[in-house]
Structures are given as C-alpha cells and as structure tokens.
C-alpha cells in the first residue's frame, strides 16, 4: 500500500519501472540489467562472442546486487555480478579489495572462485552510460568463476563429519589470512555483527506496533 511504502526507509525504495519481475523492487540503488543484455557484458570479459554466444543465462537470488549464472559454449560456468554502487560494499575500492581477498585465499589453496578480468586486465567494469538508469550510473560489473554446490539449510541436522570439515576450512582461512593487510578492507557497515543493536534500534520506527502485552517495549 502507499502507506506501507511511506514507512519504508529511503534505503529500501527503488524505481521499479525497469526492473524485471525477479529483480527486487525494494532495494534502493539496485542495478537494472535484463537477462537479454547480460551476454553483452559477458563478451567484454571474453566469455562469449557473436560466433559463440552464451549457452545459458539464469538470474540467481540476490538482494543488494544482481547475480547471474552463466554457462559458456565451452561448458565453463561463471557468476556475473552487477553491484549496487550506492552502498559502500559496491564501490570500486571495496570490489577490488574483495578481489584481492579472494586471490589471497585462492593462492593459499582455498576452494574459492577465480576472479575473471577482461582481456585488458580490468576486473570491474562501470555500468555508467548515457540514458542508463540512475542506479546504473554508479554500478559496476564483476565476474567470478562458478563454484557448484548446495546450500545447507539451517534446519538440517549437521553430522560431526560435516562440522569438522567446516571447522577445518575456517582454520585454513584464518591461517591463509595471517599477515594479510588491505586498506580497502578496512570499513564498517550495518551487517557487521557488532552493529546489530545500533542498526536495529535505528529502524525500530519502521516496525508497526504489534499490540504486545502491557508494558512491553
């Protein structure tokens, strides 16, 4: 309803006129990228061409950004990411810092994606263009190799072997990052666990009174 939309924080408002049905209309700054235009961006990274178009393009679940699963004619799989540029995590400095973080883990033998750059060596391309949606003017495209696997539901019981594997992987990550310093990785945001209380408190006004017991706050 219009009343509900007025209660939403600005952070969650978005122009839905150009968004696809599967692209969330509720996130401010989320890029607009129809599936039919994904191949053009993939070609810039050398993943396809007019002679060898992509075998398939499928939009993946996402929130702030847009994610697409790509299958090249060769069978190789990738994830093309259109990053929301109005949030700090989507700025060029942060994206390149993420790439360096991934490359560090990959160099240490961790099972992480590979950063894919253009033939010219560019790892993040700007979406800005005359006439493009406002959100695209500050958005960037990045490509990673695709890691196949399944998401384990939180409600599914975990075996001791599974938990031991997770613990061992976390330990390898911690060891791989010993001595790793990157100025692009020094930042803060609402999703940091230490900010849960302050982030929630700042948005309490958007939660309707549920008519709880007397004296409840």
């Amino acid at each position: 309803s219009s009343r509900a939309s007025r209660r939403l924080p600005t952070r969650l408002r978005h122009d839905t006129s150009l968004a696809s049905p599967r692209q969330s209309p509720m996130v401010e700054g989320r890029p607009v990228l129809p599936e039919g235009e994904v191949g053009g961006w993939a070609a810039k990274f050398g993943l396809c061409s007019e002679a060898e178009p992509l075998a398939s393009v499928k939009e993946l679940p996402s929130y702030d950004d847009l994610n697409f699963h790509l299958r090249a004619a060769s069978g190789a799989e990738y994830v093309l990411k259109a990053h929301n540029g109005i949030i700090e995590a989507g700025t060029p400095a942060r994206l390149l810092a993420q790439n360096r973080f991934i490359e560090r883990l990959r160099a240490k033998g961790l099972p992480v994606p590979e950063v894919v750059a253009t033939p010219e060596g560019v790892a993040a391309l700007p979406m800005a263009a005359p006439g493009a949606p406002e959100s695209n003017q500050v958005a960037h495209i990045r490509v990673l190799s695709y890691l196949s696997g399944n998401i384990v539901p939180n409600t599914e019981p975990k075996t001791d072997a599974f938990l031991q594997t997770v613990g061992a992987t976390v330990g390898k990550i911690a060891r791989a990052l010993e001595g790793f310093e990157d100025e692009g990785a020094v930042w803060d945001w609402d999703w940091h666990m230490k900010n849960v209380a302050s982030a929630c408190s700042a948005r309490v006004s958007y939660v309707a009174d549920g008519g709880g017991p007397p004296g409840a706050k």
Side-chain angles (χ1 to χ4, degrees):
S1 69
S2 60
R3 179 179 297 178
S5 65
R6 287 197 298 270
R7 288 200 303 266
L8 290 172
T10 302
R11 172 73 177 77
L12 298 179
R13 297 187 192 134
H14 178 64
D15 180 3
T16 64
S17 60
L18 296 175
S20 78
R22 286 186 292 172
Q23 293 179 7
S24 169
M26 299 300 291
V27 180
E28 183 186 15
R30 201 165 191 251
V32 177
L33 181 58
E35 285 189 7
E37 297 179 9
V38 171
W41 287 101
K44 297 177 186 292
F45 286 86
L47 307 184
C48 61
S49 63
E50 290 187 8
E52 286 195 335
L54 294 172
S56 66
V57 176
K58 179 182 178 181
E59 187 174 345
L60 298 172
S62 58
Y63 183 73
D64 283 315
D65 309 319
L66 294 178
N67 297 315
F68 296 90
H69 173 266
L70 314 181
R71 188 183 300 275
S74 64
E77 298 174 83
Y78 304 91
V79 174
L80 183 143
K81 302 175 69 67
H83 291 276
N84 186 329
I86 73 163
I87 59 176
E88 192 167 10
T91 60
R94 299 291 176 254
L95 298 180
L96 295 179
Q98 290 177 40
N99 284 351
R100 292 189 291 270
F101 181 86
I102 290 172
E103 289 167 345
R104 167 74 173 217
L105 295 181
R106 187 173 175 82
K108 296 292 184 176
L110 273 297
V112 296
E114 179 180 2
V115 175
V116 179
T118 68
E120 296 77 27
V122 180
L125 293 177
M127 296 183 73
E134 183 179 356
S135 59
N136 289 21
Q137 301 297 346
V138 291
H140 285 75
I141 296 283
R142 198 161 61 113
V143 174
L144 303 172
S145 61
Y146 178 77
L147 292 183
S148 60
N150 298 312
I151 297 176
V152 180
N154 290 333
T155 56
E156 182 174 308
K158 313 299 189 297
T159 65
D160 289 344
F162 174 85
L163 295 175
Q164 288 170 359
T165 299
V166 171
T169 301
V170 171
K172 291 177 181 177
I173 292 174
R175 179 166 294 182
L177 294 176
E178 288 179 351
F180 178 76
E181 298 290 342
D182 192 309
E183 61 180 16
V186 180
W187 60 294
D188 197 15
W189 66 329
D190 285 350
W191 289 92
H192 195 303
M193 290 301 294
K194 72 177 184 179
N195 295 329
V196 169
S198 60
C200 291
S201 298
R203 293 166 174 81
V204 168
S205 61
Y206 298 110
V207 180
D209 184 356
K217 294 183 178 181

